Amino acid sequence: MHIGKPPDIPSSEITPQSAYRQFMNRRRFLRNALATGAVALAADRVAQVIEPGRVALAGTKLQTVYSPLTTTGEQLTSYEDITHYNNFYEFGVEKDDPAKNAGALPTRPWTVKVEGKVAKPLAFSIDDLLKLRPLEDRVYRMRCVEAWSMVIPWVGYSFSELVKQCNPLPSAKYVQFLSYYDRHVEKWSDESTIYWPYSEGLRMDEAMNPLTLLTFGLYGETLPNQDGAPVRIVVPWKYGFKSAKSIVTIRFVEKQPPTTWNDMAPNEYGFYSNVNPNVDHPRWSQKRERRVGLPFYEQWRATLMFNGYGDQVASMYQGMNLHRYY
Ligand SMILES: Nc1nc2c(c(=O)[nH]1)N[C@H]1C(S)=C(S)[C@@H](COP(=O)(O)O)O[C@H]1N2
Ligand SMILES: [Mo]
């Protein structure tokens, strides 16, 4: 398994859906008829999952270009599974709750505030963010701490591109992400004992790593609400909970910021949470994972160090004791 084989389609030639499919076909991500059906179904699905009218741009096609940082050689998880097997505790604790409930999220207008250790605080509308850089197709393996995994064709650009626009001060050592929170909208959030809003964070070098994706879509379209519309972060070498959804605030900070799961159960969820088959969760092994959507006998597989992204990220942790900084 490797990433980064150079593209054979020049990105300048890319037009949205046709090129997207072409790239999918060429890369032979879609190895069977079922998965091919998932792409064709995507537009349809979004219309069904998300109440039309409520969320203006859900399911809108995004113009994308090929990315050399895409993961190759993996069968994509179906759109159906990606949008019906979610963790989004603001909308309930069951895997199928976000698909049922996240239609309540008001994704337009949407503003992302940038604050903290920056030359001056900024605010970006979702349209500003969508226009900032060309959107890329980036397939990533995703590994939830609960041992399920998926392969998701995200759409976005490296978070570092936004950071460059924000002029962080030298004292900015970490980035904190805060998710949208309104307990009247997200009334299911009371089902868990999380301190809202959902908060996550990365060390500055992790945030600047090109793999860290500011994410606006999947399967070539805007994000369904249950996957964190209209904008989220995706950090593919870390357990899923590091990838905060529906972000409204990006805060540059000097000290390691408080993070939701680390606050809840510090002995179970560390700040780093790099995917690591050699460091077990206190209540279960992390050596193996179950790929969602595959036939039962093909589901279980070995979990890879850094989720298979070691070539791109391992150097950031050189000399760190990963048993201690889990
Ligand atoms: N705001 C918010 N972000 C969140 C979560 C959440 O409950 N609330 N769950 C996290 C967890 S545990 C995972 S595995 C991923 C799941 O993303 P997906 O549903 O798009 O696959 O979102 C992460 N981001
Ligand atoms: Mo997760």
Side-chain angles (χ1 to χ4, degrees), residues 10-185:
S11 52
S12 57
E13 274 176 34
I14 303 245
T15 55
Q17 195 69 354
S18 60
Y20 181 74
R21 283 191 198 194
Q22 188 187 8
F23 125 68
M24 302 295 253
N25 291 337
R26 279 204 197 190
R27 296 283 150 198
R28 283 188 291 192
F29 283 129
L30 308 179
R31 290 212 294 253
N32 58 44
L34 188 73
T36 312
V39 175
L41 266 177
D44 249 34
R45 267 306 159 202
V46 173
Q48 286 170 27
V49 173
I50 304 198
E51 233 175 273
R54 183 142 215 178
V55 181
L57 287 185
T60 301
K61 299 260 183 301
L62 292 169
Q63 176 139 359
T64 57
V65 298
Y66 178 85
S67 169
L69 292 176
T70 199
T71 300
T72 60
E74 294 270 12
Q75 184 179 337
L76 297 181
T77 303
S78 72
Y79 188 87
E80 175 74 16
D81 283 336
I82 294 171
T83 56
H84 289 81
Y85 198 83
N86 301 102
N87 274 352
F88 200 170
Y89 276 53
E90 288 89 329
F91 295 102
V93 296
E94 301 298 331
K95 300 288 174 253
D96 57 350
D97 282 344
K100 287 186 216 147
N101 301 331
L105 183 72
T107 58
R108 292 255 164 178
W110 189 274
T111 306
V112 176
K113 285 193 284 176
V114 176
E115 57 185 44
K117 304 284 178 198
V118 281
K120 98 179 182 337
L122 298 168
F124 293 87
S125 73
I126 190 65
D127 294 311
D128 294 339
L129 291 175
L130 279 163
K131 280 185 294 207
L132 195 70
R133 296 290 306 160
L135 301 173
E136 302 167 24
D137 289 303
R138 289 249 196 115
V139 174
Y140 282 157
R141 282 183 291 277
M142 302 300 294
R143 171 61 155 80
C144 178
V145 72
E146 297 161 79
W148 44 276
S149 68
M150 300 194 196
V151 181
I152 303 184
W154 298 113
V155 176
Y157 49 77
S158 295
F159 177 64
S160 62
E161 302 285 355
L162 175 60
V163 175
K164 286 180 206 156
Q165 308 291 315
C166 297
N167 300 311
L169 303 174
S171 56
K173 304 289 189 222
Y174 294 86
V175 189
Q176 182 178 17
F177 302 98
L178 296 169
S179 296
Y180 175 91
Y181 182 60
D182 179 339
R183 62 183 299 271
H184 301 292
V185 172

Side-chain angles (χ1 to χ4, degrees), residues 175-216:
V175 189
Q176 182 178 17
F177 302 98
L178 296 169
S179 296
Y180 175 91
Y181 182 60
D182 179 339
R183 62 183 299 271
H184 301 292
V185 172
E186 293 160 324
K187 28 185 198 282
W188 307 268
S189 57
D190 292 344
E191 291 172 10
S192 52
T193 54
I194 284 174
Y195 316 118
W196 304 104
Y198 194 93
S199 165
E200 256 311 330
L202 296 171
R203 210 171 58 189
M204 203 59 171
D205 58 337
E206 299 177 318
M208 295 305 285
N209 187 286
L211 285 185
T212 300
L213 191 71
L214 191 65
T215 306
F216 302 92

